[in-house]
Each structure stands twice: as structure tokens, then as C-alpha cells.
Amino acid sequence: MMDEEFSDGYMEGEEEWDREGLLDPAWEKQQKKTFTAWCNSHLRKAGTQIEDIEEDFRNGLKLMLLLEVISGEQLPKPDRGKMRFHKIANVNKALDYIASKGVRLVSIGAEEIVDGNVKMTLGMIWTIILRFAIQDITVEELTAKEGLLLWCQRKTAPYKNVNVQNFHMSWKDGLAFCALIHRHRPELIDYYKLSRENPLENLNTAFDVAEKHLDIPRMLDPEDMVNSVKPDERSVMAYVSSYYHAFSGAQQAETAANRICKVLKVNQENERLMEEYERLASDLLAWIKKTTPWLENRTTDNTLPGTQKKLDEFRDYRRKHKPPKLEDKARLENSFNTLQTRLRLSNRPAYMPTEGKMVSDIANAWKGLEFAEKGFEEWLLSELQRLERLDHLAQKFRHRCQIHEEWADGKDGLLKSDDYKRCHLSELKAMKKKHEAFESDLSAHQDRVEQIAAIAQELNALEYHDCITVNTRCQRICDQWDVLGTLTAQRKRGIEEAERILEKIDQLHLEFAKRAAPFNNWLDGAKEDLMDIFIVHTVEEIQQLLAAHEQFKMTLGEADKEFQAIMGIAQEIQRMAQQVGIVNTDNPYSTVSPQDIGNKWSEVRTLVPNRDHALHNEMVKQQEHERLRRQFAAKANQLGPWIEKQLDAVASIGVQMRGSLEDQLTKLRQYEQAVGQERPLMDEVERYNQAVQEAMIFENNCTSYTMETLRVGWEQLLTAIARNINEVENQILTRDSKGISETQMNEFRLSFNHFDKNRSRRLDPKEFKACLVSLGYNIREDRQGDADFQRIMSIVDPNHSGYVTFEAFLDFMTRETADTDTAEQVMQSFKILAGDKPFITAQILRQELPPDQAEYCIQRMAPYTGRDAVPGALDYMSFSTALYGESDL
Amino acid sequence: MSGPPIPIVLQRMDMRQPWGFRIQGGRDFRMQLQVKKVQAGSPAFGQVHPGDAILGIGSNDAKQLTHMQAHQLIKSAGNTLQLTLMKGHFSSLDHLVPKGGVKFSPWKH
């Protein structure tokens, strides 16, 4: 292809030459000057030059040297003799070399060069210029001449007073040369001071600057350019091509620098992602490590406020601290997948997290956290319930103790009194009866003391936090009880001894005492019942208490009759005592005075409505609890099935394969949005749940959903959507970077899903193998097949996770068959920057690359140790291979 | 394709002369150490081939070596380097790939 193009260009030149070359000696003069300068610009590298172009190439020696310098290749050894046939042989060696580069040399013979034929010599040099300085110019696959023209046009496009259309007239005013220089090295020429009116000055400026700063020798004469009607096209082309080579070297370096930058940026971004992964993983693991023991610790300080505080802390954990960590975990998994995709797509080795920070390690730690969390709230609530019961029991204990202590207060003093030795018979009789009554009272109190002891024992058994106080008080009561028993027996013996002397009975007092004592006991009992502390959890329980109370109220009529009767007796005693003039009407048979009965009765009558009120309030409270249960249940029953439905729908998206990946992504985003819109409902349910908990409601029969199940479902849904979105995005990334069609994509998904029997979105090695076979892979059932398959596994599962994700599967199915050697490309780019040397310096790196990338290289490149090393030389080759996890040895 | 482990010995004139092959993998990459490229005309040329798995370097088991350790061992070997290779272990998987396009046909399974 190139040969043909070149031959065309060459032939065209040949025709021109034949037609016009002989006609205008001015062009010949021009070419001689220009071509001589062009040849010298190369020959000087070999430390020589020519002065007369038609003379100095005649022996062929400098011609061969010129070709060696410009091609960088070795030509056959020249013949050293001075005979004509030696010269012809040398020129032929040069011509053969040119021909070997695919150039057809039409009508140029060695004899004519040796004879010093100007026309032939110039033609040959032009051939060399065309082949070695112009042919390699390729701009958008045009021919060399058109390519050079296009390059000039593009470079001078911003300069309004320059219009390059050809390689003769367009250059006469010198502005095009100046523009080319100014475009690449603006500091060398003050372009906007130039004028079209001063062509000589313009040309001189350009040629001077090119010679001084760009190392391009003068090849054209400004006067010739200005004075000739039409400057020689070949001369201008030869000179302009030197500009192209001077500047395109810089352009090449820029392209190389860009490539290196691109590659390094990918590496830097990957390293940033790895660091971020490590940081996120460390933070998350630290948090899990800190939080798990707290969840595992199932002890409280055994008090209600302490336990309530712990419940509040748990609520904070569930609602404030855990959700962002769950997001972190999802982000971690997703960024890990994204990173691996990026590495695969950029041909880099897979990323291995630090020991202990693998995705599976995090999943395990998280599992441990969830395991520790399981049942925590339930345990805490039951603990709360237990402590509340205990609290009620303690109150009951204190209440009973107080009643008993009030009763027992001063009793020992009375019992110790020897009043029965100084009284009348009647009084003694009374005293005896009174004491008997006290004894029965005492035995009646036996039950109560036993109950107090029983409650104390229960408090001990349930590990009430303040058992010391309880036990001290209980012990005091029991001790006192024992003392009272002893004193009572002593007093009984004393009275019985005195009884034989004193005998008289007051019937009425006796009668009163007989009736008042049981009634009083009944009153005490009733009072106690009416003040009884109750604890209920359901409407039914309070209804039972209400029914019992109503039943009690029905007995009040009978009690009133008894009360009237007893009071009647007391009034009768009063009346009779007045009749006989006895001042002391205290009833010797009774510890209970009519006053006491009256007070207690009125107390009981006041307590009845109080009890009515308390029970009624409790009823309202229980109804409120019922309402809270229903309120929570209503929302929970709405949210629960919704979450379940969404979960099913999200799970089926990847499986059903309807529509393109973008459609799936859109659908998933819709689900994500839908979940966001349901957030207020979730918050509402949380609030209702808190109301339920704060009301100390422990059971709810109105719904099968607990807050716990709803939270878990909600989080599962969020995680599932985020994971699905990430997967689809990675699939799009893979698809786009590899140009997979939607049909092919569906083919892959169809086969993958077919073998993903348990819908886990990954295949185990057995399933994966079956899948490959079904896709036509030739994996045999023998040792060779096993070895092949092991190799495939090491590609699709470099982390040895034991399964194959859809993405890895996709990547494998579409991997490029020819391994693009990108390490080689980077090395090549560094080589260009290094000017073909096998090492590079920090100075060049800082000069050619942006600071960020330059420092990245300087920090990582090892010193170069080759023979030709200069101080500070860096080894870019090992650096380039290391980027891809490879080493040259 | 892959055969038994084969011991080979490479020789060079001078410590500064490169062996002329490129390695990839290592324990830290969880990837079998393997030959990626061989320089024509180098001491390794003709003995070592792209796709060979490197099982041992001298008396060292390559499975235990990180990429850098393997690199140092080979680089600092004197003028004689002993390698144990599995020929063609990592050469192309192309012979497994179905001819023509990939088409899903579950009944093959």
C-alpha cells in the first residue's frame, strides 16, 4: 500500500521533472542549494559534509554514509578503491539499499551519478528525501505529500493571514514559516509584529530562528524565494519536512506523556480505591469488634432505671448507629466489586485485601454481630418485665409491713403491764376476755406475718436489688412477733391466776365484743382488699377485678345492717352506764371501740368509690394499650407484606431478564425511590413501636409482625436493591467496555440463570463447569479436562472464594483472545520521553508529566544500574512491568 | 497441554546480562508464578516459553514465594539458574472455546 502511494508520488515528481526541470535553471539552482543543506544537516552527525552536490557523491562513499545516518541501519562495506568500477559499485550499493526500501528508481543509473550528472543526482537526492523524510509522515492516512500539507494547514489555521494551499506560492511571504514556529515555540517569534509587506524580513526571521533554536539549517535563500516567480516545490517540501520532524518529535513526546498519565491515573485511582476499601474495612471491623461484646453482655444492674437506660441505648444502636454501618458494609462490598471490575478491564492483577479484611471476613464479623444481637431486645424486655414485677412485690411488702408494724406498735408495753393486779373483778374478767380477744387477734395476724415472710422470701428468690433492707425489716417483724407470743403467754398465765378472785361479766360488753371483733376483722380485711395494689396487662384482667369489686359492693348492705346492730349495742351500753352512773364505759371485752368501728366503716365507704375510680382508670389505661397495639398492628400489617412483595420483585429482576440492563437499572432505581417514599411509614411504625414499649406492653396478638422482623426485612430490601444496582452497573461497565450486544448479553444471562438453581446469583464450580459445557466449551471428562477447568477457575475466581459471580462469568466469556501487552505500551512511551535511552531522569519526568504523576514515578522507580547509567538514572522498564504485576529478569 | 514438572538450567556469561524472560504472579497475587514473555536471543530463549508455570526456583518451592521474592531469587542467581517448569500450563485456553458464536443449549449438559 505504502509502496504504491509512494511510487505514485515519485512518478508524479518524475514527470514534473521531465517537463519542467530542464526549463527553469532557477529551480535547479534552488534545489542544489536546498538539497546540499538538507544532506549536510544529516551528514554533520557523522562529522562530515558536502560542498558540491554533483561532485561529492560521485564516489558513492558519502552517499552510503548519508543513507546510514538517516536510516540508522548498516549498509554493506563500501569498496575502498578509486577506480571507476569501485565508484559504480558503491553508488549501486546505495541505490540497491534505496530499492530495498520499496522505492522504484526509474531511469536513475549509477554511471550517471558517478559522471556527476546534476539532473540525476538531484533526482536521486529528492528520492531519498521523499522516502526518508516525507514518506513516514502520516496524517489521517493520506499520502505523504497531502499529509504534510494537512499538517501545515492545521498548524497554521489559527493565523488569519496565512493560507497554505501548496508548497510554493503559499510560502513566499514567509508568514507561513513564522506561523509554524510561533505555533510550537511562541516565545521565539513576536508573530503579531510581522507584516505581509516585509517578506524578506519574515523569511530571514524564520530561517534565523529555525537555525539558532530548532537546529534546522538554512536550506532556502530568502532572496530566491522573493525573487522567483514560483519557488521550487521540492525545495520547500524538503525544508518544511524538517520543521515537521523538529516539531512532531515534541508531539510524539506529548502523546507518550499522555499515555503514561492515563495509565498512571488508572493506577492511582485503583490505589485510592484500595486504600479506601482498607480504611472502610478497618473502621467497620473496629466498630463490630467494639459493639459485639456489648450485645453479648446479657447482664443488667438489676434496677428498673438502669435496664430502661440499656433499652434506650439498644434503640439508639438499632436506629442511629447500625443503619449507617450496614450502608458502609454494602458500600464496601460494592466498591470491592467495582475495583475488581476496573482492574480486570485495565488488565491489572486482581486486588488482594490485607489478611483479615477480605469481604468474607467482614461478612463473618457482621454475622457474628447479628448473632449477638439476636434476642437481645427480647431479653431486655423480659428483664424489664421481671424487674417491674419485683418492684410491685416490694411495694406490696412495704405496705403489709407498715400495716403490721402499726398494729404491733406498743403491743409489747401493754402486754408487759401488770394492770390486772390492781383492778376490779369485772375489769379483770374483761381484761381476761380482752386478752383472749388479743390472742385471737394475734393468731389472726399469724397469717399476715407469714405472708410478709413469704413475700420477703420471694423477693430474695427473685434477687431483688435491695434485699438487705427487706430482710432486716422482715427479721425485725419476726423477732417482735416471737416476743409478742412470749409476752402474751406470760400475761395469760397472770390473768388466769387473778381470775379466780374476780368474776363478773358485762353481758352487753360481751355481746358487743362478740359482734364487733369479727366485724372489725372483716373491716380490716375489706380495707386491705380495697387498698390492694394490682398489676394487670389486659382488658380481661381488669374486667375480672371490676367484677370482683362489684361483687364486694353487693355485700355492703348486709354489712351496714351489722354495723347498725353493733352501734346499737354500744349505744345501749352508753345509755345503761349513764343510768347507773359509771363514768368509765370502756368495753373490757373488746380492743375495738365503737369509735374504731365507726371510723373504719366510714373509711371503707370512702375507699369504695376510690377503688371504683382506680379500677376505672386502669380500665381506660388497658383500653389505651389495646389501641396502641392495634395502631402498631395496622401499620405493621401494611408495611410487612409490602416489604415482602418488593423483596420478591427485586429478586426476580436479574432472573427474568426482561429488557436491557438500562431498563433493569431504571426499574431498580424506581424501587430504590419507592423504598425512599415508604421511609415515613417505617418511621411511623418505629414511633408506634416506641409508644407500645413505653407503655410497657409486652405482647401484641393483633399482628404477627414485630418491629424486629420489619427492621430486618427493611434492611434486606435496601441491601438487595443496592447490591442489584451495583451488579447491573458493573455489567453495563463490562458490556460497554467490551462492546457486547444486548442479544449476546441475554444469551449469557439465560445460561447463567439456568444453572443458578438456588437463585444465589453465583455458581459453584460444578454448576459453572456444566454451564461452560452447555455453551459449547470443550472441557473433557478426564485429567486434562480437570486441569483445563482448574485454570479457568483461577481466572474467574482469583480470590478463591469458591464461587463464580455473573460478572466474573461475563468477563471470562468476553475476554480478549489476544492479550494486549499494555506493559509494553507504557514502556514504549517512557522510551520516547527518555529519548530512546534505557533509563529516565527525575528532571525529564518533572518536565514531561504533571507534578502528581511525575512524583508518583520518581517515588516508585528503582535506580537504573546498566553500564550506561548517569547519576540519578531511573529504571522505567521494571516500573512499567510492575504496574501490571510483572517483572523482567 | 500441561505435562510433568521439568527441571531446566539456564546459563549466562555475566551477572549483568538479563535472563531474558518476564514473570507474572506470586503468592501475594494468589496467582501461579508463570512466564509471560521471552526475549529472542536471550539465555532463556528456546528453554522457557510464554505460558510455562514456574514450580520451583533452585531449591525453593515457588508456591511459597511472593512476586518480589521470586524476582530477587532469579535476579540474584549467579551465572546458573535452575528452574522447575510445567510446560504450557498457562498457554491459551483457545482450544476449549467453541468454534463460531456462543449459543446456549442446556441439553448438552
Side-chain angles (χ1 to χ4, degrees), chain A residues 309-506:
Chain A
K309 190 167 156 261
K310 197 153 181 162
L311 181 63
D312 288 343
E313 282 167 7
F314 179 74
R315 226 176 254 148
D316 272 357
Y317 157 79
R318 277 309 311 231
R319 280 156 66 175
K320 281 193 208 136
H321 305 311
K322 193 183 168 196
K325 294 299 171 190
L326 183 75
E327 277 170 34
D328 282 353
K329 178 175 162 275
R331 195 157 56 227
L332 200 64
E333 287 165 3
N334 293 343
S335 64
F336 182 79
N337 291 336
T338 305
L339 178 58
Q340 297 295 32
T341 306
R342 286 175 58 103
L343 289 171
R344 261 203 300 274
L345 293 177
S346 57
N347 203 20
R348 304 293 205 278
Y351 164 55
M352 294 300 152
T354 320
E355 202 70 32
K357 287 181 194 162
M358 307 280 286
V359 170
S360 60
D361 293 323
I362 287 151
N364 282 337
W366 189 266
K367 225 189 258 169
L369 178 81
E370 305 243 271
F371 183 75
E373 185 190 311
K374 213 176 154 200
F376 187 86
E377 194 175 23
E378 242 169 72
W379 160 76
L380 208 50
L381 288 173
S382 73
E383 191 62 10
L384 209 57
Q385 197 174 5
R386 181 182 74 82
L387 289 172
E388 208 212 1
R389 282 206 178 110
L390 213 50
D391 208 48
H392 276 280
L393 202 58
Q395 252 181 50
K396 197 168 189 157
F397 173 79
R398 284 192 294 273
H399 181 66
R400 296 232 164 154
C401 284
Q402 195 192 345
I403 290 175
H404 178 78
E405 280 161 357
E406 276 168 13
W407 171 84
D409 185 39
K411 286 282 191 293
D412 56 344
L414 291 175
L415 288 171
K416 280 181 193 156
S417 160
D418 55 357
D419 52 354
Y420 54 85
K421 287 178 183 168
R422 296 185 312 262
C423 66
H424 301 290
L425 176 69
S426 61
E427 284 169 326
L428 183 72
K429 272 274 189 210
M431 232 173 244
K432 188 192 173 193
K433 287 295 168 195
K434 185 174 163 184
H435 188 68
E436 279 167 6
F438 175 74
E439 279 177 320
S440 83
D441 193 19
L442 193 71
S443 68
H445 271 85
Q446 176 78 35
D447 277 354
R448 296 192 191 155
V449 173
E450 278 168 8
Q451 271 173 23
I452 286 170
I455 294 174
Q457 206 178 356
E458 201 179 345
L459 283 171
N460 277 295
L462 292 175
E463 293 171 358
Y464 179 59
H465 67 94
D466 192 12
C467 276
I468 295 172
T469 310
V470 167
N471 291 342
T472 312
R473 194 166 182 184
C474 182
Q475 192 57 51
R476 201 172 59 226
I477 286 170
C478 289
D479 290 348
Q480 192 188 33
W481 183 253
D482 288 343
V483 170
L484 282 182
T486 314
L487 288 176
T488 304
Q490 282 170 0
R491 184 172 172 87
K492 190 184 177 187
R493 278 196 302 280
I495 288 174
E496 273 170 356
E497 213 168 272
E499 195 194 17
R500 275 177 285 120
I501 313 155
L502 303 166
E503 265 187 281
K504 199 178 177 196
I505 296 158
D506 189 331

Side-chain angles (χ1 to χ4, degrees), chain A residues 571-621:
Chain A
Q571 277 161 9
E572 180 66 10
I573 291 168
Q574 201 67 29
R575 197 183 55 80
M576 282 171 66
Q578 277 171 357
Q579 273 185 354
V580 242
I582 294 174
V583 180
N584 182 7
T585 56
D586 285 352
N587 192 329
Y589 303 126
S590 176
T591 52
V592 189
S593 73
Q595 191 74 38
D596 290 341
I597 298 286
N599 285 346
K600 282 184 182 174
W601 177 244
S602 71
E603 208 177 330
V604 164
R605 291 175 51 128
T606 322
L607 282 172
V608 168
N610 284 353
R611 179 94 174 162
D612 276 339
H613 191 63
L615 288 174
H616 177 72
N617 280 349
E618 185 63 27
M619 186 69 178
V620 170
K621 184 176 149 196

Side-chain angles (χ1 to χ4, degrees), chain A residues 850-862:
Chain A
D852 200 16
Q853 278 73 31
E855 294 313 313
Y856 184 88
C857 292
I858 293 164
Q859 271 176 26
R860 286 166 175 78
M861 279 187 187

